[in-house]
Amino acid sequence: MSQQKSDYVADTEIDAALDDLPTDAAVEETVENLEANGFEVVVADSPEDALTTLQSHIPADASVMNGHSTTLEEIGFVDYLSEGDHEWESLPDEIWSIDDDAKRQAARRESQTADYFLGGINAIAQTGELVAADRSGSRIGAYPFAASNLVIVSGINKIVPTLDDALDRLESVAYPLENERAKEAYGVDSAIAKQLVFRQELEAGRTTVVLIRDQLGY
């Protein structure tokens, strides 16, 4: 079930100032600082361009997994991974075809080591750090090390001036919206139970950040 930001934003109090589109200068500075911290960066002008970037970035025969990401849904990647014309191994399709709960959970853990793991992010500091959190850790477990290659996809509305602002955005924008989504999708409250501040990527070429010039995700 696709769940969009618009489904929840009217009924949720968020700090809208931390969800605005930044200036071109702020985007440029963010790109420079992310690259200085070891991240590869691609700036896409539209959701369609972002999807094209992902299609060309991931090689044939790679195993591909994604954590839940509204942004990946909005650009069409989730549907493309499951139904599109590609030569990747779609790990989500394999996982959700498993009937046994214990075996499915084991497969989910194993998928953290996919050749390519894709996901979103909750905030990006203009100073070059990424901030993400999760209730279970299934979305962000692959980010620090497990996946061979990591691709973070984000609207530029996630960019805020400082790391403190990024942590604030996690609490006052991303969490309220994710909590509403989790209650509808899973019947439970979400939680900022496991949090990641990704300050640097030390393995050259491992992590790519795709920034989209649009207001996407939360």
Side-chain angles (χ1 to χ4, degrees):
M1 175 177 58
S2 178
Q3 297 168 308
Q4 305 299 321
K5 183 187 207 171
S6 58
D7 295 337
Y8 313 110
V9 70
D11 299 320
T12 307
E13 291 188 12
I14 65 170
D15 186 345
L18 295 174
D19 197 40
D20 286 339
L21 295 179
T23 65
D24 289 344
V27 174
E28 183 176 344
E29 182 176 347
T30 303
V31 171
E32 291 175 357
N33 287 328
L34 285 170
E35 290 178 339
N37 286 345
F39 301 102
E40 304 285 330
V41 183
V42 177
V43 180
D45 289 332
S46 67
E48 294 78 15
D49 289 342
L51 180 58
T52 299
T53 295
L54 298 181
Q55 289 167 335
S56 62
H57 183 75
I58 303 171
D61 300 324
S63 61
V64 180
M65 182 62 184
N66 66 278
H68 175 266
S69 165
T70 299
T71 304
L72 287 179
E73 290 184 352
E74 289 173 328
I75 70 172
F77 179 80
V78 174
D79 288 340
Y80 182 78
L81 178 58
S82 180
E83 303 169 5
D85 182 15
H86 58 73
E87 297 179 16
W88 308 329
E89 179 187 5
S90 175
L91 296 182
D93 288 326
E94 295 178 10
I95 289 167
W96 298 115
S97 69
I98 299 172
D99 291 331
D100 183 272
D101 289 344
K103 291 180 179 178
R104 184 171 59 251
Q105 185 72 342
R108 291 181 70 194
R109 292 186 189 280
E110 186 176 349
S111 72
Q112 301 291 300
T113 63
D115 295 332
Y116 281 79
F117 194 100
L118 291 88
I121 206 75
N122 297 124
I124 302 173
Q126 203 169 309
T127 46
E129 299 88 11
L130 307 174
V131 172
D134 198 7
R135 184 177 189 270
S136 69
S138 63
R139 185 174 76 98
I140 62 172
Y143 287 18
F145 179 77
S148 297
N149 296 276
L150 175 66
V151 183
I152 299 292
V153 182
S154 175
I156 59 172
N157 55 303
K158 308 285 184 72
I159 295 174
V160 292
T162 68
L163 179 56
D164 283 343
D165 291 324
L167 294 168
D168 190 13
R169 189 186 191 284
L170 170 63
E171 298 271 359
S172 61
V173 178
Y175 171 70
L177 291 165
E178 171 60 16
N179 190 49
E180 291 302 313
R181 186 197 74 84
K183 288 190 289 187
E184 181 178 305
Y186 314 125
V188 297
D189 286 336
S190 187
I192 302 176
K194 299 176 183 180
Q195 182 173 311
L196 172 69
V197 178
F198 203 162
R199 297 175 184 269
Q200 287 183 291
E201 176 54 81
L202 302 178
E203 184 179 341
R206 175 183 178 265
T207 298
T208 298
V209 179
V210 179
L211 291 176
I212 310 166
R213 294 186 184 276
D214 204 341
Q215 192 165 40
L216 299 167
Y218 46 78

